[in-house]
Amino acid sequence: MLQENIDWSLNHHSDEPQLKGSSHPDLITVTKGDRLQLNCSAVGNPSPSYNWTLPSASGSPFSDDILTIKSVTLEHKGQYNCSVHNNIGTVTVKFNVDVKESYMYIILVVLLVLVLAAIVFISVYVHLYKHNRKRRYNLKDVFHLRSQLIAVPTEELICG
């Protein structure tokens, strides 16, 4: 009976939660619209439970080891706390998340506006150039007409 208790205690000892992959960056920066995934995986005996505290005042619907937000907004910026606990102990991990604005859409809109403005400018310029050209002489035509209008003296004028 003593041997059974020793074997059970060797094979069934209790451990407080320990985090897997203990390094977590001081600041996690994500771009608005991107996916955010925070990993708080831990081992322990008995198996640990997870409780997340989010930066917003609302309650946390997350109770798994990995918190995933599919499309980050500016409201997701702040500190996330993951509390890992079993009946032996508790470990807390803090994640600081910064959400930056994506300027790609603004750049694309500005480029589109510039391209449209260039097209309008070129169209107006070509229209005005063609419109004004109809009222003016072309220099090639002026020089061409002049060479045809040169008077050449004839014998009658010289002898006369």
Side-chain angles (χ1 to χ4, degrees), residues 68 124 134:
T68 302
V124 168
K134 291 178 184 176

Side-chain angles (χ1 to χ4, degrees), residues 27-115:
L27 180 65
I28 299 168
T29 304
V30 291
T31 303
K32 182 179 170 185
D34 286 352
R35 179 181 177 163
L36 173 64
Q37 193 166 26
L38 303 176
N39 189 341
C40 186
S41 298
V43 294
N45 188 19
S47 294
S49 298
Y50 301 89
N51 185 26
W52 288 89
T53 305
L54 305 182
S56 64
S58 64
S60 169
F62 302 103
S63 60
D64 293 328
D65 58 339
I66 298 175
L67 180 140
T68 302
I69 299 173
K70 292 182 181 181
S71 181
V72 175
T73 64
L74 295 175
E75 290 80 28
H76 291 113
K77 179 179 179 176
Q79 184 173 319
Y80 292 75
N81 295 322
C82 174
S83 179
V84 183
H85 54 88
N86 63 13
N87 62 358
I88 306 300
T90 301
V91 177
T92 301
V93 181
K94 296 179 181 181
F95 299 91
N96 290 310
V97 176
D98 185 27
V99 180
K100 64 181 181 175
E101 186 72 43
S102 174
Y103 295 105
M104 186 56 84
Y105 297 113
I106 296 170
I107 292 170
L108 290 175
V109 168
V110 168
L111 285 175
L112 181 63
V113 167
L114 289 175
V115 167

